[in-house]
Amino acid sequence: MPGFEILLQKQLKGKQMQKEMSEFVHERIKIEEEYAKNLSKLSLSPLAAQEEGTMGEAWIQLKKSLHDEAEVHLKFSNKLHSEVEKPMLTFRSDHFKKDLKKYDHHIADLRKQLASRYAGVEKARKALADRQKDLEVKTQQLEVKLSNKTEEDIKKARRKSTQAGDDLMRSLDLYNQTQSKWFEEMVTTSMELEKLEVDRIEWIQQHLRQYTTLRHETDMFNQSTIENVDQLLQAVDPAKDRDLWVKEHKTGDVRPIDLDI
Amino acid sequence: MPGFEILLQKQLKGKQMQKEMSEFVHERIKIEEEYAKNLSKLSLSPLAAQEEGTMGEAWIQLKKSLHDEAEVHLKFSNKLHSEVEKPMLTFRSDHFKKDLKKYDHHIADLRKQLASRYAGVEKARKALADRQKDLEVKTQQLEVKLSNKTEEDIKKARRKSTQAGDDLMRSLDLYNQTQSKWFEEMVTTSMELEKLEVDRIEWIQQHLRQYTTLRHETDMFNQSTIENVDQLLQAVDPAKDRDLWVKEHKTGDVRPIDLDI
């Protein structure tokens, strides 16, 4: 497989990785939504709703804090969607593949041209060797039998041999031009692909960091959902609750008294 | 309804509230377990497992961090079970209801006794009034017609009236003794019930604070699950990844070269 194909496959694999990361984030979003839904549902539970006084208030706040937690996780999942999943999914759309194909065809054409030029060189090299051999044979014939006809043949063979030499030089020249163009294009294109890969890595890095930032935020926001509960639990006062309860239920207002005559 | 019944019902309601809070915590535990299960499962996903180099390492760590998060939530749910749900469920077991019934019967007996003594007083009061009226009638008869028989009757009526007066005093005394005992028992028992209620409130307060402490811990532990991911994302280096990749795939080792004669 040509080295350039390997480079292109790396690009396609990179695109696939980015798509799979986006799928992974999508799964995480679903988990967060499910968790938020369950927390929110539980926060509406009527359990222990009849608890009274300051303890009742703390309990209401504790239940409410589950709703707040649910909101935090919902916000996390929404931001994961808009700031991580979606950008990852849409980065380098389908026309990226077309761009890669264009590179591929361009370099393949050059490679084909280069092969054809190489064959040309081989052919010219062989033609030159044939002409040189022919010239040699004719020169030996001259030593044996001198005639006008033979001298004419040698002149002709020498001219053809020189021409074959020129052909070879021209073929070599064409080959080397093509090789040089191929090399230049390979370097340019490889550098472009390298830049694309650096962009991809930095782009993923940036969005995965956005993921960790959102996770940090979630933990911090979660901390704050529990603060009100802490405060109200701190304020729980059984003596105050008793007073409230006695006033409400009016216990002790009617009771047997001492009797006298 | 006697005031004491209201006090006992408050105790029973308190026990019910504590049971319902324990149920609420149980539901929370189930939500945490489900969340942990889902996170843990996703952490094992093969998505984007072919990502290479420093980015590949960061990605592996990001997936691993979901497993760590799952562990944090599992630990939270385990501690919720042992440190909040279970104590809430077992605090004041069934013999607490028997204790309350004992109080109830004791005070009910005193109340019955008090009613009976009160009836005794009313009866003695009426008997005294009757005797006094009888004495009055007989005294008037004496003014009309003097005789030994009448004088004897008056003496007898006066004696009976005095005795009825003594009976009333004795009934009043018995009533007041019972009322005093009832009052003493009511005060003692109410104070015991008050103490039970203070204990309950403080006990719930303590365990709900344990809940908020565990929630805080969870948020903090969660923060730390993401630290390694942050570090490895920081260390992502496209240039290094390219070097590694080129060495591994040996691209560029074989390539067309310049040709010469």
Side-chain angles (χ1 to χ4, degrees):
Chain A
M1 188 188 294
F4 188 70
E5 285 290 320
I6 298 179
L7 288 184
L8 290 180
Q9 284 196 354
K10 177 163 176 58
Q11 292 288 331
L12 289 173
K13 184 178 147 189
K15 189 167 179 349
Q16 177 65 19
M17 291 304 100
Q18 152 211 332
K19 193 173 149 251
E20 289 188 15
M21 284 177 183
S22 152
E23 281 173 40
F24 185 91
V25 173
H26 182 73
E27 292 302 314
R28 176 69 195 247
I29 289 169
K30 286 202 295 187
I31 293 174
E32 293 300 314
E33 283 173 347
E34 175 77 9
Y35 186 54
K37 199 188 77 191
N38 289 335
L39 286 178
S40 181
K41 201 173 147 201
L42 181 55
S43 82
L44 300 173
S45 154
L47 286 168
Q50 289 88 41
E51 185 65 73
E52 291 168 295
T54 54
M55 177 51 87
E57 281 169 37
W59 180 248
I60 286 168
Q61 187 61 43
L62 189 144
K63 288 210 252 181
K64 201 188 155 303
S65 80
L66 261 69
H67 177 76
D68 297 341
E69 274 192 76
E71 287 294 307
V72 168
H73 284 273
L74 215 54
K75 201 172 152 194
F76 177 45
S77 71
N78 287 339
K79 284 193 167 186
L80 272 185
H81 174 68
S82 61
E83 297 175 19
V84 185
E85 183 200 3
K86 219 173 158 187
M88 277 212 174
L89 197 62
T90 53
F91 182 65
R92 293 195 178 160
S93 57
D94 289 339
H95 80 92
F96 176 68
K97 282 195 186 176
K98 281 185 196 161
D99 290 350
L100 289 186
K101 274 224 173 84
K102 237 184 283 168
Y103 284 127
D104 195 19
H105 291 155
H106 183 54
I107 297 286
D109 282 352
L110 285 172
R111 201 157 45 225
K112 228 178 277 174
Q113 213 177 324
L114 199 61
S116 135
R117 296 285 191 236
Y118 186 79
V121 169
E122 290 302 291
K123 201 179 153 194
R125 215 189 278 281
K126 189 166 178 303
L128 175 60
D130 287 351
R131 289 299 123 213
Q132 280 176 334
K133 197 166 183 192
D134 187 46
L135 178 60
E136 204 175 313
V137 168
K138 287 190 172 141
T139 307
Q140 278 167 358
Q141 282 174 352
L142 182 64
E143 279 163 19
V144 176
K145 182 179 108 189
L146 191 85
S147 78
N148 277 352
K149 176 81 170 73
T150 314
E151 247 177 86
E152 200 62 28
D153 277 358
I154 290 174
K155 259 187 203 166
K156 207 174 170 184
R158 189 170 289 134
R159 206 165 55 238
K160 279 188 179 171
S161 176
T162 307
Q163 203 179 338
D166 289 350
D167 282 352
L168 175 58
M169 290 311 285
R170 205 159 38 243
S171 294
L172 276 172
D173 207 37
L174 279 171
Y175 170 84
N176 282 334
Q177 272 173 38
T178 306
Q179 195 270 350
S180 164
K181 193 179 175 197
W182 168 88
F183 183 75
E184 204 177 290
E185 288 294 313
M186 272 298 280
V187 168
T188 311
T189 310
S190 295
M191 276 172 73
E192 279 175 39
L193 293 181
E194 270 176 21
K195 196 187 166 306
L196 280 173
E197 176 64 1
V198 170
D199 285 353
R200 183 186 78 93
I201 293 287
E202 286 179 351
W203 195 92
I204 289 177
Q205 182 186 30
Q206 178 195 333
H207 285 81
L208 294 186
R209 288 177 102 161
Q210 185 57 20
Y211 165 83
T212 66
T213 301
L214 292 175
R215 271 277 286 100
H216 277 301
E217 268 183 21
T218 301
D219 295 332
M220 273 196 307
F221 290 146
N222 257 339
Q223 289 274 20
S224 67
T225 62
I226 211 78
E227 274 166 21
N228 285 337
V229 184
D230 275 334
Q231 275 169 21
L232 287 176
L233 279 175
Q234 190 85 33
V236 164
D237 182 351
K240 200 171 159 190
D241 287 359
R242 188 175 57 224
D243 283 353
L244 284 170
W245 187 82
V246 165
K247 269 176 201 150
E248 195 184 321
H249 289 82
K250 300 191 173 60
T251 53
D253 280 5
V254 186
R255 60 170 69 157
I257 48 161
D258 271 2
L259 286 180
D260 212 334
I261 301 171
Chain B
M1 189 189 294
F4 188 70
E5 284 290 320
I6 298 178
L7 288 184
L8 290 180
Q9 283 195 355
K10 177 164 176 57
Q11 291 288 330
L12 289 173
K13 184 179 149 188
K15 189 167 179 349
Q16 178 64 19
M17 291 304 99
Q18 152 212 331
K19 194 172 149 251
E20 288 188 16
M21 285 177 184
S22 151
E23 281 173 41
F24 185 91
V25 173
H26 182 73
E27 292 303 314
R28 177 69 195 247
I29 289 169
K30 286 202 296 188
I31 293 174
E32 293 301 314
E33 283 173 348
E34 176 76 10
Y35 186 54
K37 198 187 78 191
N38 290 335
L39 286 178
S40 182
K41 200 172 145 201
L42 182 55
S43 82
L44 299 173
S45 153
L47 285 168
Q50 288 89 41
E51 185 65 73
E52 291 168 295
T54 55
M55 177 52 87
E57 281 169 36
W59 180 247
I60 286 168
Q61 187 60 45
L62 189 144
K63 287 209 252 180
K64 200 187 156 303
S65 79
L66 262 69
H67 176 76
D68 297 341
E69 275 191 75
E71 287 293 307
V72 168
H73 284 273
L74 215 53
K75 201 171 152 195
F76 177 44
S77 71
N78 287 339
K79 285 192 166 189
L80 272 185
H81 174 68
S82 61
E83 298 175 18
V84 184
E85 183 201 3
K86 219 172 157 187
M88 277 213 173
L89 197 61
T90 53
F91 182 64
R92 292 193 179 160
S93 57
D94 290 339
H95 81 92
F96 176 67
K97 282 194 185 177
K98 281 185 194 159
D99 290 350
L100 289 186
K101 274 222 172 89
K102 238 185 281 168
Y103 284 127
D104 195 19
H105 290 155
H106 183 53
I107 297 287
D109 283 351
L110 284 173
R111 201 157 46 226
K112 228 179 276 173
Q113 214 178 323
L114 199 61
S116 137
R117 296 288 191 233
Y118 185 78
V121 168
E122 290 302 293
K123 202 179 152 195
R125 213 188 280 279
K126 189 169 180 299
L128 175 61
D130 288 350
R131 287 301 120 209
Q132 279 176 333
K133 197 166 183 193
D134 186 47
L135 177 60
E136 203 177 312
V137 167
K138 288 196 169 135
T139 306
Q140 279 168 356
Q141 282 174 352
L142 183 64
E143 279 163 19
V144 176
K145 184 181 107 190
L146 191 83
S147 78
N148 277 352
K149 176 80 170 70
T150 314
E151 248 179 83
E152 199 60 28
D153 277 359
I154 289 174
K155 260 188 204 163
K156 210 173 166 185
R158 189 170 287 135
R159 207 166 54 235
K160 280 189 177 172
S161 176
T162 307
Q163 204 181 335
D166 290 351
D167 281 353
L168 175 58
M169 290 312 284
R170 205 159 38 243
S171 294
L172 276 172
D173 206 37
L174 279 171
Y175 170 84
N176 283 334
Q177 271 174 38
T178 307
Q179 195 270 349
S180 164
K181 193 177 174 197
W182 168 87
F183 183 74
E184 204 178 288
E185 288 293 313
M186 273 297 280
V187 168
T188 312
T189 310
S190 295
M191 276 171 73
E192 278 176 38
L193 293 180
E194 270 176 21
K195 195 187 166 306
L196 281 173
E197 176 64 2
V198 170
D199 285 354
R200 183 186 78 92
I201 293 287
E202 286 178 352
W203 196 91
I204 289 178
Q205 181 186 31
Q206 178 196 332
H207 286 80
L208 293 186
R209 288 177 103 161
Q210 186 56 21
Y211 165 83
T212 65
T213 302
L214 292 175
R215 270 278 286 101
H216 276 302
E217 268 184 22
T218 301
D219 295 332
M220 272 196 307
F221 290 146
N222 256 339
Q223 289 273 21
S224 68
T225 63
I226 212 77
E227 274 166 22
N228 284 339
V229 184
D230 275 335
Q231 275 168 21
L232 287 176
L233 279 175
Q234 190 85 32
V236 164
D237 182 350
K240 199 171 158 189
D241 286 0
R242 187 176 57 224
D243 283 354
L244 283 170
W245 186 83
V246 165
K247 268 174 203 154
E248 194 183 323
H249 289 81
K250 300 191 173 62
T251 53
D253 279 6
V254 187
R255 61 170 68 156
I257 48 162
D258 272 2
L259 285 180
D260 213 333
I261 302 172

